[in-house]
Amino acid sequence: MAENTVSTVAEPCSGYVADVASYRQAFRRYLADLDWAQEWRAATSTSAEDQMAHDAGVLARLYQAGWNRYGWPHAAGGLGGNEIHRATYYEELGRAGLPVPAQHWTLETLGPALLAFAPAVAQAHLPAYLAGTEWWGQCFSEPEAGSDLAALRTRAADNGSDGFTVNGQKIWTSQGPTATRLLVLVRTGPADSRHRGLTMMMVDADTTGVTIRPIALASGRRELAEVFFDDVRVPRDRLVGEVGDGWAVAMYLMQFERGMYGYALLTTMLAELATLRSQISVQGTSGTNRDRFARTYIEVVAAQARAAQTVRQLAGGQTIGPGSSVDKLLFSSAEKRVQDLVFDVRQAWMINGEEPAHRGLDAARAQWWYSRAATIMGGSAEVQRGLIADHILRLPKQIRR
Ligand SMILES: Cc1cc2nc3c(=O)[nH]c(=O)nc-3n(C[C@H](O)[C@H](O)[C@H](O)COP(=O)(O)OP(=O)(O)OC[C@H]3O[C@@H](n4cnc5c(N)ncnc54)[C@H](O)[C@@H]3O)c2cc1C
């Protein structure tokens, strides 16, 4: 990327915190005048590692200009404001047709929990995350503990003032191959303590005893990882919440994983549909696909309206609880639907196209492949329906055979 120039630098303004509309207008102007916007928009990568490196550069520039720091507290490298500022930031990126830097996906999932339960850890590491010099992975799932997270077996022995010793294995860690730190949910209570015996802690990925083995997805991109812990020493000041409070931290975190993450993702779907609409108007498509476009658009907008309500509740400090399962169901099925429509409208290109004449083909295919997992990751659709049935609709309990 070219060096930043005077025309792309804007002074952060304290007025933006009190007045989201002025933040929106100023950020919109900044993006419209950005002399490297086209470079950012057109950037493509053929590996997860390249994409993370590219997006880290984008984050560094946005951090320097201040824009991605709104919505985060000063104590953690931000410039103040709340979730509504962050939602506005994603909306404006989508409106300008600019992709969300990939690091934001785990930041939205993990950052708020760190701020709420480990402010000192957040203060030490969140500024670097916002500046694009580090990012983290979420180590919850294990080979025998996915939907039933409370069954997890990775163990942390409590050595008092000497901290903890962690042993076990995690799997499906998004951004795991390149993450510098890991937020790990471990068992500190007895083996059968279920959700009562869990604790959350942050572990540096380069600690002795941590082994990260990348997982290549169907696209060939190494976006996830298995993480092994062999006698890994973790200092006590890396606790996120108290010992035994891990379940409460995880539940708090999931509101953001389903709320903020979902809202940000929906802004990218709208951007994707805008691009598709332009392509359809030039190249045409079948009546069936036009009809599907309309239905899909409505589905995305409806999911976003629901997610906007959740974002407002989060900004007001409210607890979302099982209602976040509704958000998760809506945005994950919308994501699949959008990607299926892109695939079908652009079928000849998606199947027969070739690089390098068709820039972005590898990324478009990878996105379609990734969307297959939308209704699995972050809690499967079946499990979300079960939570809604039990805790919102209060239907009779499912009979398990
Ligand atoms: C792309 C991707 C990214 C991911 N990123 C992360 C990450 O960053 N960090 C992390 O910790 N994990 C991550 N995961 C793991 C994800 O959270 C789990 O895959 C998910 O929770 C499902 O768990 P499982 O794979 O063990 O499936 P299982 O729990 O074994 O479920 C298998 C099947 O049984 C169904 N099922 C299970 N229990 C019930 C029930 N009670 N009622 C009805 N149906 C049920 C499920 O819906 C599913 O269809 C990721 C997964 C994917 C695919």
Side-chain angles (χ1 to χ4, degrees), residues 8 35 49 110 171 301:
T8 65
D35 52 13
E49 292 84 349
L110 309 181
I171 194 167
V301 171

Side-chain angles (χ1 to χ4, degrees), residues 106 109 137-149 170-176 183 217 223-224 257 370 372-384 386 398 400:
T106 34
T109 303
Q138 176 190 16
C139 285
F140 286 12
S141 303
E142 297 183 5
E144 302 296 328
S147 302
D148 187 11
L149 189 58
K170 297 289 176 178
I171 194 167
W172 313 126
T173 308
S174 296
Q175 299 181 2
L183 201 65
L217 304 188
E223 300 195 32
L224 311 187
E257 181 168 11
Y370 197 83
R372 303 306 88 192
T375 47
I376 301 171
M377 59 193 285
S380 74
E382 292 80 8
V383 169
Q384 304 311 314
Q398 183 184 358
R400 297 186 200 281

Side-chain angles (χ1 to χ4, degrees), residues 254-267:
M254 278 177 192
Q255 304 178 107
F256 290 86
E257 181 168 11
R258 294 173 188 158
M260 276 312 297
Y261 169 95
Y263 192 86
L265 194 67
L266 286 157
T267 64

Side-chain angles (χ1 to χ4, degrees), residues 266 294-304 330 333-335 337:
L266 286 157
R295 287 174 194 280
T296 306
Y297 187 82
I298 291 167
E299 187 176 340
V300 172
V301 171
Q304 198 186 30
L330 292 176
S333 49
E335 184 183 357
R337 205 102 60 201

